[in-house]
Amino acid sequence: EDQVTQSPEALRLQEGESSSLNCSYTVSGLRGLFWYRQDPGKGPEFLFTLYSAGEEKEKERLKATLTKKESFLHITAPKPEDSATYLCAVPVRTDMRFGAGTRLTVKP
Amino acid sequence: ETGVTQSPTHLIKTRGQQVTLRCSSQSGHNTVSWYQQALGQGPQFIFQYYREEENGRGNFPPRFSGLQFPNYSSELNVNALELDDSALYLCASSPGTSGIKGVETQYFGPGTRLLVL
């Protein structure tokens, strides 16, 4: 069955403390892996799409990477404004299959 | 801002009632998808509409139904509400065509928070 699993469920960092979030997937015929940021009470906001193993994309303090079985979202020197839930998702037929997300808290 | 709006922002209903949630997409976005997001979970796909026709459906019962209108607005209707229907309901519109293209480039609205008592 097509599944997306994210870890950890929650992550607390000090400002400036770099870390990585994991997204593993079991999807046949991957058509892309998507990362979103979601703030409380809001809809997901698109961050990145990765299409092939070895691909990397960066945006400010975030860098997303993709292998054949998982993706990582690396956060370098995070700031409190990076606190949010980070979701990964893969398209399956007409569905965007989401993981449960990693809730990131960055303390000043 | 994504240009996708939803109404109402919050709603409280009682078990057994019916509810209609509304979404207004960007002009030119022919595809709209609806998702249910329970607390602490990722969004779950309910269904997708393309040019006013249902184009795909997730694992939701028939009491979840939808409509899409020519003016880029859409509705999600839920009959016989159950307590487990309490969630954030998200719509997402896309300029892409139906199917995979309809979800690859989608923009989410802020959601409607539904509480069923």
Side-chain angles (χ1 to χ4, degrees):
Chain A
E1 185 184 338
D2 302 319
Q3 282 195 336
V4 180
T5 305
Q6 291 188 248
S7 62
E9 290 184 10
L11 183 63
R12 296 171 67 90
L13 300 173
Q14 288 296 128
E15 184 172 1
E17 180 186 1
S18 301
S19 188
S20 296
L21 282 54
N22 177 263
C23 171
S24 63
Y25 60 91
T26 54
V27 174
S28 56
L30 184 70
R31 291 286 301 267
L33 187 137
F34 292 69
W35 282 98
Y36 293 86
R37 170 189 170 129
Q38 187 174 26
D39 292 302
K42 295 189 177 181
E45 176 190 344
F46 171 78
L47 292 173
F48 305 108
T49 308
L50 302 167
Y51 288 103
S52 57
E55 188 175 359
E56 297 183 354
K57 287 194 177 173
E58 289 189 61
K59 180 180 180 179
E60 296 180 355
R61 295 174 292 281
L62 301 176
K63 182 169 81 171
T65 61
L66 182 66
T67 71
K68 288 186 177 179
K69 292 187 176 182
E70 57 191 351
S71 177
F72 292 93
L73 185 65
H74 307 278
I75 302 177
T76 303
K79 298 182 178 183
E81 53 262 41
D82 295 322
S83 297
T85 295
Y86 291 86
L87 297 162
C88 70
V90 295
V92 178
R93 294 179 290 280
T94 57
D95 181 3
M96 186 65 88
R97 196 70 55 87
F98 282 84
T102 294
R103 189 172 65 255
L104 174 67
T105 306
V106 182
K107 294 290 191 182
Chain B
E1 296 299 322
T2 63
V4 180
T5 59
Q6 293 186 243
S7 64
T9 55
H10 296 83
L11 199 55
I12 299 175
K13 291 285 189 178
T14 56
R15 194 171 49 183
Q17 286 188 311
Q18 178 268 342
V19 69
T20 298
L21 310 181
R22 293 179 172 84
C23 172
S24 178
S25 305
Q26 290 188 44
S27 177
H29 284 201
N30 292 312
T31 302
V32 64
S33 300
W34 284 88
Y35 294 84
Q36 181 195 67
Q37 187 175 23
L39 204 60
Q41 299 297 315
Q44 276 197 303
F45 176 72
I46 303 174
F47 43 57
Q48 183 189 83
Y49 276 78
Y50 174 67
R51 293 189 171 178
E52 303 163 48
E53 298 282 336
E54 186 178 297
N55 186 56
R57 190 176 186 92
N59 190 26
F60 281 81
R63 62 189 183 84
F64 286 78
S65 63
L67 287 171
Q68 186 185 23
F69 303 102
N71 65 351
Y72 305 109
S73 66
S74 60
E75 291 180 353
L76 165 65
N77 298 288
V78 187
N79 294 322
L81 283 166
E82 300 177 359
L83 298 180
D84 285 349
D85 295 334
S86 296
L88 180 69
Y89 287 86
L90 297 161
C91 79
S93 74
S94 168
T97 57
S98 61
I100 285 287
K101 291 297 182 185
V103 293
E104 288 179 342
T105 55
Q106 58 187 348
Y107 300 87
F108 284 86
T112 293
R113 175 74 62 188
L114 173 64
L115 178 61
V116 182
L117 302 176

Short mmCIF file of all heavy atoms in Angstrom, two decimals, chain A residues 6 31-32 34 36 38-46 49 51 85 87 90-101 103, chain B residues 2 33 35 37 40-45 48 55-58 88 90 98-101 103-111 113:
data_model
loop_
_atom_site.label_atom_id
_atom_site.label_comp_id
_atom_site.label_asym_id
_atom_site.label_seq_id
_atom_site.Cartn_x
_atom_site.Cartn_y
_atom_site.Cartn_z
N GLN A 6 6.45 10.04 8.49
CA GLN A 6 7.37 11.11 8.89
C GLN A 6 7.86 10.89 10.31
O GLN A 6 7.14 10.40 11.17
CB GLN A 6 6.67 12.47 8.80
CG GLN A 6 6.38 12.88 7.37
CD GLN A 6 5.88 14.31 7.29
OE1 GLN A 6 4.72 14.55 6.96
NE2 GLN A 6 6.77 15.26 7.60
N ARG A 31 6.01 10.04 -8.54
CA ARG A 31 5.81 11.16 -9.44
C ARG A 31 6.24 12.47 -8.82
O ARG A 31 5.87 13.53 -9.30
CB ARG A 31 4.33 11.24 -9.82
CG ARG A 31 3.84 10.11 -10.70
CD ARG A 31 4.36 10.27 -12.11
NE ARG A 31 3.94 11.53 -12.69
CZ ARG A 31 2.85 11.69 -13.42
NH1 ARG A 31 2.07 10.67 -13.65
NH2 ARG A 31 2.54 12.88 -13.93
N GLY A 32 6.99 12.39 -7.75
CA GLY A 32 7.46 13.59 -7.08
C GLY A 32 7.20 13.49 -5.60
O GLY A 32 6.30 12.77 -5.17
N PHE A 34 6.70 16.07 -2.25
CA PHE A 34 6.39 17.46 -1.95
C PHE A 34 6.59 17.73 -0.46
O PHE A 34 6.23 16.91 0.37
CB PHE A 34 4.93 17.77 -2.30
CG PHE A 34 4.64 17.73 -3.77
CD1 PHE A 34 4.66 16.55 -4.47
CD2 PHE A 34 4.36 18.89 -4.46
CE1 PHE A 34 4.40 16.51 -5.84
CE2 PHE A 34 4.09 18.88 -5.82
CZ PHE A 34 4.11 17.68 -6.51
N TYR A 36 5.62 20.66 2.48
CA TYR A 36 4.78 21.79 2.81
C TYR A 36 5.08 22.25 4.23
O TYR A 36 5.47 21.45 5.08
CB TYR A 36 3.29 21.43 2.75
CG TYR A 36 2.75 21.09 1.39
CD1 TYR A 36 2.84 19.80 0.89
CD2 TYR A 36 2.10 22.06 0.62
CE1 TYR A 36 2.32 19.48 -0.36
CE2 TYR A 36 1.57 21.74 -0.62
CZ TYR A 36 1.69 20.45 -1.10
OH TYR A 36 1.16 20.13 -2.33
N GLN A 38 3.00 24.06 7.42
CA GLN A 38 1.67 24.41 7.87
C GLN A 38 1.73 25.09 9.24
O GLN A 38 2.21 24.50 10.21
CB GLN A 38 0.76 23.18 7.94
CG GLN A 38 -0.69 23.53 8.26
CD GLN A 38 -1.63 22.33 8.18
OE1 GLN A 38 -1.21 21.20 8.37
NE2 GLN A 38 -2.90 22.57 7.91
N ASP A 39 1.23 26.31 9.29
CA ASP A 39 1.12 27.03 10.55
C ASP A 39 -0.23 26.72 11.19
O ASP A 39 -1.19 26.36 10.48
CB ASP A 39 1.27 28.54 10.32
CG ASP A 39 2.68 28.89 9.88
OD1 ASP A 39 3.61 28.58 10.64
OD2 ASP A 39 2.86 29.44 8.78
N PRO A 40 -0.34 26.84 12.51
CA PRO A 40 -1.59 26.48 13.19
C PRO A 40 -2.80 27.19 12.62
O PRO A 40 -2.78 28.40 12.41
CB PRO A 40 -1.32 26.91 14.65
CG PRO A 40 0.15 26.85 14.78
CD PRO A 40 0.71 27.26 13.46
N GLY A 41 -3.85 26.43 12.32
CA GLY A 41 -5.09 27.00 11.84
C GLY A 41 -5.05 27.47 10.39
O GLY A 41 -5.98 28.13 9.92
N LYS A 42 -3.99 27.10 9.66
CA LYS A 42 -3.87 27.52 8.26
C LYS A 42 -3.68 26.31 7.36
O LYS A 42 -3.38 25.21 7.81
CB LYS A 42 -2.70 28.48 8.10
CG LYS A 42 -2.88 29.79 8.83
CD LYS A 42 -1.79 30.78 8.47
CE LYS A 42 -2.03 32.12 9.14
NZ LYS A 42 -0.98 33.11 8.78
N GLY A 43 -3.87 26.54 6.06
CA GLY A 43 -3.64 25.49 5.09
C GLY A 43 -2.16 25.30 4.82
O GLY A 43 -1.35 26.18 5.08
N PRO A 44 -1.78 24.14 4.30
CA PRO A 44 -0.37 23.89 3.96
C PRO A 44 0.14 24.87 2.90
O PRO A 44 -0.59 25.21 1.96
CB PRO A 44 -0.39 22.46 3.42
CG PRO A 44 -1.61 21.83 4.00
CD PRO A 44 -2.60 22.93 4.07
N GLU A 45 1.38 25.28 3.08
CA GLU A 45 2.04 26.19 2.15
C GLU A 45 3.16 25.44 1.46
O GLU A 45 4.04 24.87 2.11
CB GLU A 45 2.58 27.39 2.92
CG GLU A 45 3.38 28.37 2.08
CD GLU A 45 4.09 29.41 2.94
OE1 GLU A 45 3.73 29.55 4.13
OE2 GLU A 45 5.01 30.08 2.44
N PHE A 46 3.15 25.45 0.14
CA PHE A 46 4.13 24.69 -0.64
C PHE A 46 5.55 25.20 -0.40
O PHE A 46 5.81 26.41 -0.38
CB PHE A 46 3.77 24.82 -2.13
CG PHE A 46 4.82 24.27 -3.05
CD1 PHE A 46 4.93 22.91 -3.25
CD2 PHE A 46 5.69 25.12 -3.71
CE1 PHE A 46 5.89 22.40 -4.10
CE2 PHE A 46 6.66 24.63 -4.56
CZ PHE A 46 6.76 23.26 -4.75
N THR A 49 9.32 20.71 -4.40
CA THR A 49 9.03 19.44 -5.05
C THR A 49 10.35 18.83 -5.50
O THR A 49 11.19 19.51 -6.09
CB THR A 49 8.14 19.60 -6.29
OG1 THR A 49 6.99 20.35 -5.96
CG2 THR A 49 7.73 18.23 -6.81
N TYR A 51 11.92 15.44 -7.67
CA TYR A 51 11.41 14.47 -8.63
C TYR A 51 12.29 13.23 -8.79
O TYR A 51 11.81 12.18 -9.23
CB TYR A 51 11.22 15.13 -10.00
CG TYR A 51 10.06 16.08 -10.04
CD1 TYR A 51 10.26 17.46 -9.98
CD2 TYR A 51 8.75 15.62 -10.10
CE1 TYR A 51 9.18 18.34 -10.01
CE2 TYR A 51 7.67 16.49 -10.14
CZ TYR A 51 7.90 17.85 -10.09
OH TYR A 51 6.82 18.71 -10.12
N THR A 85 4.44 23.03 11.52
CA THR A 85 4.40 21.61 11.18
C THR A 85 4.84 21.45 9.74
O THR A 85 4.36 22.17 8.85
CB THR A 85 2.98 21.03 11.38
OG1 THR A 85 2.64 21.08 12.76
CG2 THR A 85 2.92 19.58 10.90
N LEU A 87 5.05 19.03 6.53
CA LEU A 87 4.38 17.87 5.95
C LEU A 87 5.07 17.47 4.66
O LEU A 87 5.47 18.32 3.87
CB LEU A 87 2.92 18.21 5.60
CG LEU A 87 1.99 18.60 6.75
CD1 LEU A 87 0.76 19.32 6.21
CD2 LEU A 87 1.56 17.37 7.52
N VAL A 90 3.14 12.64 -1.33
CA VAL A 90 3.43 12.13 -2.66
C VAL A 90 2.10 11.99 -3.41
O VAL A 90 1.08 11.61 -2.82
CB VAL A 90 4.15 10.76 -2.62
CG1 VAL A 90 5.53 10.92 -2.00
CG2 VAL A 90 3.35 9.72 -1.87
N PRO A 91 2.08 12.29 -4.71
CA PRO A 91 0.85 12.13 -5.48
C PRO A 91 0.63 10.65 -5.82
O PRO A 91 1.56 9.96 -6.23
CB PRO A 91 1.11 12.96 -6.74
CG PRO A 91 2.59 13.04 -6.86
CD PRO A 91 3.16 12.89 -5.50
N VAL A 92 -0.61 10.20 -5.61
CA VAL A 92 -1.00 8.83 -5.94
C VAL A 92 -2.33 8.91 -6.70
O VAL A 92 -3.35 9.26 -6.10
CB VAL A 92 -1.18 7.97 -4.68
CG1 VAL A 92 -1.63 6.55 -5.07
CG2 VAL A 92 0.11 7.91 -3.88
N ARG A 93 -2.30 8.66 -7.98
CA ARG A 93 -3.51 8.81 -8.83
C ARG A 93 -4.02 10.25 -8.66
O ARG A 93 -3.32 11.19 -8.95
CB ARG A 93 -4.55 7.76 -8.49
CG ARG A 93 -4.07 6.34 -8.86
CD ARG A 93 -5.09 5.30 -8.51
NE ARG A 93 -5.23 5.12 -7.07
CZ ARG A 93 -4.40 4.40 -6.32
NH1 ARG A 93 -3.37 3.80 -6.85
NH2 ARG A 93 -4.62 4.29 -5.02
N THR A 94 -5.27 10.43 -8.21
CA THR A 94 -5.79 11.79 -8.05
C THR A 94 -5.59 12.30 -6.63
O THR A 94 -6.08 13.37 -6.27
CB THR A 94 -7.29 11.84 -8.37
OG1 THR A 94 -7.96 10.91 -7.52
CG2 THR A 94 -7.54 11.51 -9.82
N ASP A 95 -4.88 11.57 -5.83
CA ASP A 95 -4.74 11.85 -4.40
C ASP A 95 -3.35 12.38 -4.10
O ASP A 95 -2.39 11.95 -4.72
CB ASP A 95 -4.98 10.53 -3.66
CG ASP A 95 -4.89 10.64 -2.16
OD1 ASP A 95 -4.70 11.74 -1.64
OD2 ASP A 95 -5.02 9.58 -1.51
N MET A 96 -3.24 13.31 -3.17
CA MET A 96 -1.95 13.70 -2.61
C MET A 96 -1.88 13.02 -1.25
O MET A 96 -2.61 13.40 -0.34
CB MET A 96 -1.84 15.22 -2.50
CG MET A 96 -0.48 15.71 -2.07
SD MET A 96 0.82 15.38 -3.26
CE MET A 96 0.69 16.85 -4.30
N ARG A 97 -1.02 12.03 -1.11
CA ARG A 97 -0.94 11.24 0.12
C ARG A 97 0.04 11.89 1.07
O ARG A 97 1.24 11.99 0.78
CB ARG A 97 -0.50 9.82 -0.23
CG ARG A 97 -0.73 8.77 0.82
CD ARG A 97 -2.20 8.44 1.01
NE ARG A 97 -2.87 8.05 -0.21
CZ ARG A 97 -2.92 6.81 -0.69
NH1 ARG A 97 -2.33 5.83 -0.06
NH2 ARG A 97 -3.59 6.56 -1.80
N PHE A 98 -0.47 12.35 2.22
CA PHE A 98 0.35 13.09 3.17
C PHE A 98 0.84 12.21 4.32
O PHE A 98 0.15 11.26 4.73
CB PHE A 98 -0.46 14.24 3.79
CG PHE A 98 -0.63 15.44 2.92
CD1 PHE A 98 -1.64 15.48 1.97
CD2 PHE A 98 0.22 16.52 3.04
CE1 PHE A 98 -1.81 16.60 1.15
CE2 PHE A 98 0.07 17.64 2.24
CZ PHE A 98 -0.95 17.67 1.30
N GLY A 99 2.00 12.56 4.85
CA GLY A 99 2.42 12.02 6.13
C GLY A 99 1.73 12.79 7.25
O GLY A 99 1.02 13.78 7.01
N ALA A 100 1.94 12.34 8.47
CA ALA A 100 1.28 12.97 9.62
C ALA A 100 1.97 14.26 10.04
O ALA A 100 1.41 15.04 10.82
CB ALA A 100 1.23 12.00 10.80
N GLY A 101 3.18 14.49 9.51
CA GLY A 101 3.85 15.74 9.81
C GLY A 101 4.83 15.67 10.97
O GLY A 101 4.75 14.77 11.81
N ARG A 103 6.07 18.28 13.92
CA ARG A 103 5.79 19.57 14.56
C ARG A 103 7.09 20.12 15.13
O ARG A 103 7.64 19.59 16.09
CB ARG A 103 4.74 19.40 15.65
CG ARG A 103 4.21 20.69 16.22
CD ARG A 103 3.04 20.45 17.16
NE ARG A 103 3.44 19.70 18.34
CZ ARG A 103 3.16 18.42 18.56
NH1 ARG A 103 2.51 17.71 17.66
NH2 ARG A 103 3.53 17.82 19.68
N THR B 2 -2.66 32.52 -1.18
CA THR B 2 -2.83 31.62 -2.32
C THR B 2 -3.98 32.04 -3.22
O THR B 2 -4.11 31.52 -4.32
CB THR B 2 -3.11 30.19 -1.82
OG1 THR B 2 -4.36 30.19 -1.10
CG2 THR B 2 -2.00 29.71 -0.90
N SER B 33 -9.66 20.09 -5.06
CA SER B 33 -9.64 18.90 -4.22
C SER B 33 -10.01 19.29 -2.81
O SER B 33 -9.71 20.40 -2.36
CB SER B 33 -8.24 18.26 -4.22
OG SER B 33 -7.86 17.88 -5.53
N TYR B 35 -9.88 18.04 1.33
CA TYR B 35 -9.15 17.20 2.27
C TYR B 35 -9.75 17.37 3.66
O TYR B 35 -10.23 18.45 4.02
CB TYR B 35 -7.68 17.59 2.34
CG TYR B 35 -6.89 17.34 1.08
CD1 TYR B 35 -6.90 18.26 0.04
CD2 TYR B 35 -6.14 16.18 0.93
CE1 TYR B 35 -6.17 18.03 -1.12
CE2 TYR B 35 -5.40 15.94 -0.22
CZ TYR B 35 -5.43 16.87 -1.24
OH TYR B 35 -4.71 16.63 -2.39
N GLN B 37 -8.51 17.09 7.63
CA GLN B 37 -7.33 16.99 8.47
C GLN B 37 -7.73 16.93 9.93
O GLN B 37 -8.14 17.93 10.52
CB GLN B 37 -6.38 18.17 8.23
CG GLN B 37 -5.06 18.03 8.97
CD GLN B 37 -4.07 19.12 8.64
OE1 GLN B 37 -4.44 20.21 8.20
NE2 GLN B 37 -2.79 18.85 8.82
N GLY B 40 -3.53 16.73 14.61
CA GLY B 40 -2.29 15.97 14.72
C GLY B 40 -2.02 15.03 13.57
O GLY B 40 -1.07 14.24 13.63
N GLN B 41 -2.84 15.11 12.53
CA GLN B 41 -2.66 14.23 11.37
C GLN B 41 -2.42 15.05 10.11
O GLN B 41 -2.67 16.26 10.08
CB GLN B 41 -3.90 13.35 11.16
CG GLN B 41 -4.21 12.44 12.34
CD GLN B 41 -3.10 11.44 12.59
OE1 GLN B 41 -2.58 10.82 11.65
NE2 GLN B 41 -2.72 11.28 13.84
N GLY B 42 -1.96 14.38 9.07
CA GLY B 42 -1.84 15.05 7.78
C GLY B 42 -3.19 15.08 7.09
O GLY B 42 -4.11 14.34 7.45
N PRO B 43 -3.35 15.92 6.09
CA PRO B 43 -4.62 15.97 5.34
C PRO B 43 -4.89 14.63 4.66
O PRO B 43 -3.98 13.96 4.16
CB PRO B 43 -4.38 17.06 4.31
CG PRO B 43 -3.28 17.91 4.88
CD PRO B 43 -2.41 16.96 5.63
N GLN B 44 -6.19 14.25 4.64
CA GLN B 44 -6.63 13.03 3.94
C GLN B 44 -7.54 13.43 2.79
O GLN B 44 -8.50 14.19 2.98
CB GLN B 44 -7.39 12.12 4.89
CG GLN B 44 -6.50 11.23 5.73
CD GLN B 44 -7.27 10.07 6.32
OE1 GLN B 44 -8.25 10.27 7.03
NE2 GLN B 44 -6.85 8.87 6.02
N PHE B 45 -7.27 12.90 1.62
CA PHE B 45 -8.00 13.23 0.40
C PHE B 45 -9.43 12.74 0.48
O PHE B 45 -9.68 11.56 0.77
CB PHE B 45 -7.27 12.57 -0.77
CG PHE B 45 -7.94 12.72 -2.10
CD1 PHE B 45 -7.95 13.94 -2.76
CD2 PHE B 45 -8.52 11.63 -2.71
CE1 PHE B 45 -8.53 14.07 -4.01
CE2 PHE B 45 -9.11 11.74 -3.97
CZ PHE B 45 -9.11 12.97 -4.61
N GLN B 48 -11.81 14.86 -5.66
CA GLN B 48 -11.35 15.90 -6.57
C GLN B 48 -12.42 16.15 -7.63
O GLN B 48 -13.07 15.22 -8.11
CB GLN B 48 -10.06 15.46 -7.28
CG GLN B 48 -9.45 16.50 -8.20
CD GLN B 48 -8.30 15.93 -9.03
OE1 GLN B 48 -8.50 15.30 -10.06
NE2 GLN B 48 -7.09 16.16 -8.56
N ASN B 55 -13.76 13.52 -10.09
CA ASN B 55 -12.68 12.92 -10.86
C ASN B 55 -11.86 11.91 -10.06
O ASN B 55 -10.95 11.31 -10.59
CB ASN B 55 -11.76 14.03 -11.36
CG ASN B 55 -10.71 13.51 -12.29
OD1 ASN B 55 -11.02 12.89 -13.29
ND2 ASN B 55 -9.45 13.75 -11.95
N GLY B 56 -12.16 11.77 -8.81
CA GLY B 56 -11.43 10.83 -7.97
C GLY B 56 -11.95 10.96 -6.57
O GLY B 56 -12.42 12.04 -6.17
N ARG B 57 -11.89 9.89 -5.80
CA ARG B 57 -12.45 9.87 -4.46
C ARG B 57 -11.57 9.06 -3.53
O ARG B 57 -11.08 8.01 -3.91
CB ARG B 57 -13.87 9.29 -4.49
CG ARG B 57 -14.63 9.46 -3.20
CD ARG B 57 -16.05 8.95 -3.35
NE ARG B 57 -16.80 9.25 -2.14
CZ ARG B 57 -17.53 10.34 -1.96
NH1 ARG B 57 -17.63 11.23 -2.93
NH2 ARG B 57 -18.17 10.55 -0.82
N GLY B 58 -11.40 9.55 -2.34
CA GLY B 58 -10.67 8.81 -1.32
C GLY B 58 -11.60 7.89 -0.56
O GLY B 58 -12.75 7.65 -0.95
N LEU B 88 -10.33 19.88 10.48
CA LEU B 88 -10.11 21.02 9.60
C LEU B 88 -10.35 20.54 8.18
O LEU B 88 -9.75 19.55 7.75
CB LEU B 88 -8.68 21.54 9.76
CG LEU B 88 -8.27 22.74 8.91
CD1 LEU B 88 -9.00 24.00 9.37
CD2 LEU B 88 -6.76 22.95 8.98
N LEU B 90 -10.00 21.30 4.27
CA LEU B 90 -9.18 22.12 3.37
C LEU B 90 -9.63 21.92 1.94
O LEU B 90 -9.90 20.80 1.51
CB LEU B 90 -7.72 21.71 3.49
CG LEU B 90 -7.05 21.92 4.84
CD1 LEU B 90 -5.79 21.07 4.94
CD2 LEU B 90 -6.71 23.39 5.04
N SER B 98 -6.94 17.40 -14.69
CA SER B 98 -7.39 16.43 -13.69
C SER B 98 -6.31 15.41 -13.40
O SER B 98 -5.26 15.39 -14.04
CB SER B 98 -8.66 15.74 -14.18
OG SER B 98 -8.38 15.05 -15.39
N GLY B 99 -6.58 14.56 -12.43
CA GLY B 99 -5.66 13.48 -12.09
C GLY B 99 -4.42 13.99 -11.39
O GLY B 99 -4.49 14.92 -10.58
N ILE B 100 -3.29 13.41 -11.75
CA ILE B 100 -2.04 13.74 -11.08
C ILE B 100 -1.72 15.23 -11.26
O ILE B 100 -1.32 15.92 -10.33
CB ILE B 100 -0.88 12.90 -11.65
CG1 ILE B 100 -0.96 11.47 -11.14
CG2 ILE B 100 0.45 13.53 -11.31
CD1 ILE B 100 -0.58 11.30 -9.70
N LYS B 101 -1.90 15.74 -12.44
CA LYS B 101 -1.62 17.16 -12.69
C LYS B 101 -2.49 18.07 -11.83
O LYS B 101 -2.13 19.21 -11.55
CB LYS B 101 -1.80 17.51 -14.18
CG LYS B 101 -0.76 16.88 -15.08
CD LYS B 101 0.62 17.40 -14.76
CE LYS B 101 1.66 16.81 -15.70
NZ LYS B 101 3.03 17.23 -15.30
N VAL B 103 -3.15 17.66 -8.74
CA VAL B 103 -2.67 17.76 -7.36
C VAL B 103 -1.23 18.22 -7.27
O VAL B 103 -0.78 18.63 -6.21
CB VAL B 103 -2.83 16.42 -6.60
CG1 VAL B 103 -4.29 16.08 -6.40
CG2 VAL B 103 -2.09 15.29 -7.29
N GLU B 104 -0.49 18.16 -8.36
CA GLU B 104 0.92 18.54 -8.29
C GLU B 104 1.12 20.03 -8.09
O GLU B 104 2.11 20.45 -7.54
CB GLU B 104 1.64 18.10 -9.56
CG GLU B 104 1.85 16.59 -9.64
CD GLU B 104 2.56 16.17 -10.91
OE1 GLU B 104 2.59 16.97 -11.87
OE2 GLU B 104 3.06 15.05 -10.96
N THR B 105 0.20 20.84 -8.54
CA THR B 105 0.37 22.29 -8.48
C THR B 105 -0.76 22.94 -7.71
O THR B 105 -1.27 23.98 -8.09
CB THR B 105 0.42 22.89 -9.90
OG1 THR B 105 -0.76 22.48 -10.61
CG2 THR B 105 1.65 22.45 -10.61
N GLN B 106 -1.20 22.35 -6.63
CA GLN B 106 -2.37 22.85 -5.94
C GLN B 106 -2.01 23.87 -4.86
O GLN B 106 -0.95 23.80 -4.25
CB GLN B 106 -3.19 21.71 -5.35
CG GLN B 106 -2.46 20.82 -4.38
CD GLN B 106 -3.31 19.62 -3.99
OE1 GLN B 106 -4.51 19.55 -4.25
NE2 GLN B 106 -2.70 18.65 -3.34
N TYR B 107 -2.94 24.78 -4.63
CA TYR B 107 -2.81 25.83 -3.63
C TYR B 107 -3.94 25.66 -2.62
O TYR B 107 -5.11 25.58 -2.99
CB TYR B 107 -2.90 27.21 -4.30
CG TYR B 107 -1.82 27.44 -5.33
CD1 TYR B 107 -1.98 27.03 -6.64
CD2 TYR B 107 -0.62 28.07 -4.97
CE1 TYR B 107 -0.99 27.23 -7.58
CE2 TYR B 107 0.37 28.28 -5.91
CZ TYR B 107 0.18 27.85 -7.22
OH TYR B 107 1.17 28.05 -8.14
N PHE B 108 -3.55 25.64 -1.37
CA PHE B 108 -4.53 25.37 -0.31
C PHE B 108 -5.16 26.65 0.24
O PHE B 108 -4.49 27.68 0.36
CB PHE B 108 -3.86 24.63 0.85
CG PHE B 108 -3.60 23.19 0.58
CD1 PHE B 108 -2.44 22.79 -0.07
CD2 PHE B 108 -4.52 22.22 0.95
CE1 PHE B 108 -2.20 21.45 -0.33
CE2 PHE B 108 -4.28 20.87 0.71
CZ PHE B 108 -3.11 20.50 0.05
N GLY B 109 -6.42 26.53 0.60
CA GLY B 109 -7.08 27.58 1.35
C GLY B 109 -6.78 27.44 2.83
O GLY B 109 -6.12 26.48 3.25
N PRO B 110 -7.29 28.38 3.65
CA PRO B 110 -6.99 28.37 5.08
C PRO B 110 -7.77 27.32 5.86
O PRO B 110 -7.43 27.03 7.01
CB PRO B 110 -7.37 29.78 5.52
CG PRO B 110 -8.41 30.19 4.54
CD PRO B 110 -8.04 29.56 3.25
N GLY B 111 -8.82 26.75 5.24
CA GLY B 111 -9.57 25.70 5.92
C GLY B 111 -10.78 26.19 6.68
O GLY B 111 -10.91 27.37 7.00
N ARG B 113 -12.73 25.00 10.19
CA ARG B 113 -12.65 24.13 11.37
C ARG B 113 -14.06 23.74 11.76
O ARG B 113 -14.87 24.60 12.12
CB ARG B 113 -11.97 24.89 12.52
CG ARG B 113 -11.95 24.14 13.83
CD ARG B 113 -10.96 23.02 13.87
NE ARG B 113 -9.58 23.44 13.70
CZ ARG B 113 -8.57 22.60 13.55
NH1 ARG B 113 -8.78 21.29 13.57
NH2 ARG B 113 -7.34 23.05 13.41
#
